[in-house]
Amino acid sequence: MVDSAAGRTNGERVPTGIVGLDEMLGGGLLYNSVAVIKGAPGTGKSCLGMEFIAKGILNYGEPGLIITFEEFPRQIYRDAISIGFDLRAFEHGQQLRTIFTTPAVFLREIQQPGGIFDRTIEEISAKRVFVDSMTQLERITQDPVQLREIMYTFLNGLLRYDITALVTQEDAFITGNMSVAEAGLSYIVDTIIQLRYVEISSSMDRAILVLKHRASNHDKSIRRMLITSAGIEVKTAFEGREGILSGNPYMTRRVKKAEEFLK
Ligand SMILES: Nc1ncnc2c1ncn2[C@@H]1O[C@H](COP(=O)(O)OP(=O)(O)OP(=O)(O)O)[C@@H](O)[C@H]1O
Ligand SMILES: [Mg+2]
């Protein structure tokens, strides 16, 4: 199904195209907003961002731009293939561009009319932008106040265009502790999607939840997330378990009793 890419309006939803996630988001991201995906290394932040871009092209006819401070484009293409998306083909078809640069250079470009960001967005009429990752902006300065200003400048630079953006930020902790206020990014963005590792019966699962979604109602449940060769699948909520956010959930007494009864 290909929708028209033309003329989204304020308040409109931009579906990520990711099975289950749009339902959690009450239809999708907010048009011309920035959403952050937070999570520990390997939780699936880059996969989620790549799928947002790929589904934009495939399902909604919306060209995309990937800005990466972390991986060479060839690594990104390889990772995208493993979840079923041929980004190189999109690039050849003028539906995708990938910019691999440093945060300092990009920050300069984004404030400059006619800079590489302007030109790339205009050349392919990009509607979706994925930035991987905002954590790298911390290399520019150690000062939290200055860092917050830089992040603000960066995000405002992105939103000068007719686009919707998804950015990633790395959590320092694998499980347990939630760190919310890194340089204030969580306060500036409109939507926060949190990815977590969860240990269940001696194996690691992935969990996803929407912590914040400005100006709209959203699903508050914590759901299981799968990464497959056909992309990301957001499943139903973890039933009968508490303490998911601690990383070590335990069965609620009712479920435990039922399981004992069925033994
Ligand atoms: N086809 C697949 N099936 C199952 N799991 C997969 C598949 N492709 C990738 N993965 C898993 O996805 C994970 C990588 O996800 P991703 O690179 O998106 O994480 P990340 O949060 O961006 O990590 P980092 O912070 O290191 O950049 C790997 O752990 C890998 O096991
Ligand atoms: Mg990554």
Side-chain angles (χ1 to χ4, degrees):
M1 179 193 64
V2 176
D3 279 0
S4 163
R8 287 198 186 273
T9 51
N10 279 341
E12 202 179 324
R13 298 306 169 120
V14 177
T16 62
I18 295 168
V19 177
L21 179 59
D22 289 323
E23 189 193 325
M24 289 182 87
L25 291 166
L29 301 177
L30 302 160
Y31 164 71
N32 200 226
S33 74
V34 179
V36 64
I37 312 160
K38 287 163 50 60
T43 43
K45 302 181 294 297
S46 299
C47 286
L48 204 150
M50 290 188 296
E51 183 159 344
F52 167 68
I53 294 294
K55 287 282 174 69
I57 294 165
L58 289 168
N59 293 3
Y60 305 101
E62 299 191 334
L65 168 63
I66 298 176
I67 298 156
T68 170
F69 304 131
E70 296 201 334
E71 289 184 288
F72 287 106
R74 67 169 179 280
Q75 288 171 294
I76 294 174
Y77 299 145
R78 183 203 57 203
D79 292 350
I81 288 284
S82 85
I83 56 164
F85 302 107
D86 186 354
L87 298 187
R88 204 183 289 273
F90 297 147
E91 192 139 31
H92 288 152
Q94 304 300 318
Q95 296 158 302
L96 171 76
R97 287 283 157 79
T98 305
I99 299 176
F100 177 50
T101 183
T102 66
V105 168
F106 196 72
L107 189 67
R108 200 173 58 227
E109 288 290 331
I110 207 167
Q111 297 175 85
Q112 205 175 5
I116 185 168
F117 182 66
D118 275 20
R119 292 201 305 277
T120 312
I121 293 265
E122 276 162 21
E123 268 166 29
I124 59 164
S125 304
K127 296 278 178 259
R128 297 182 180 215
V129 176
F130 171 48
V131 182
D132 204 10
S133 92
M134 295 296 280
T135 308
Q136 297 292 330
L137 291 181
E138 290 165 20
R139 282 204 269 159
I140 300 178
T141 176
Q142 300 284 310
D143 175 34
V145 177
Q146 201 183 1
L147 184 58
R148 188 168 180 164
E149 273 166 25
I150 287 172
M151 290 205 170
Y152 200 73
T153 306
F154 187 95
L155 298 185
N156 275 333
L158 288 179
L159 294 178
R160 282 187 291 131
Y161 292 87
D162 186 20
I163 59 121
T164 303
L166 202 55
V167 306
T168 62
Q169 188 172 50
E170 197 172 293
D171 280 338
F173 305 102
I174 300 292
T175 59
N177 296 305
M178 304 269 277
S179 51
V180 174
E182 325 75 5
L185 180 65
S186 301
Y187 296 103
I188 310 172
V189 296
D190 300 288
T191 302
I192 305 174
I193 299 167
Q194 178 74 52
L195 307 185
R196 305 288 303 216
Y197 287 115
V198 186
E199 185 192 336
I200 291 192
S201 309
S202 302
S203 74
M204 274 298 190
D205 260 359
R206 289 183 170 88
I208 184 167
L209 72 149
V210 178
L211 282 181
K212 165 178 167 181
H213 198 32
R214 185 163 287 156
S216 66
N217 202 4
H218 62 88
D219 183 342
K220 313 281 189 312
S221 65
I222 303 167
R223 302 225 200 165
R224 176 173 279 120
M225 185 181 100
L226 299 181
I227 303 177
T228 76
S229 56
I232 287 177
E233 276 178 48
V234 175
K235 311 297 268 189
T236 48
F238 284 90
E239 290 286 343
R241 291 186 186 265
E242 287 175 5
I244 295 283
L245 293 182
S246 72
N248 298 298
Y250 45 87
M251 276 188 248
T252 51
R253 201 178 303 169
R254 194 161 41 87
V255 173
K256 214 174 198 168
K257 267 199 170 153
E259 287 196 359
E260 274 162 16
F261 177 76
L262 292 170
K263 261 185 197 165

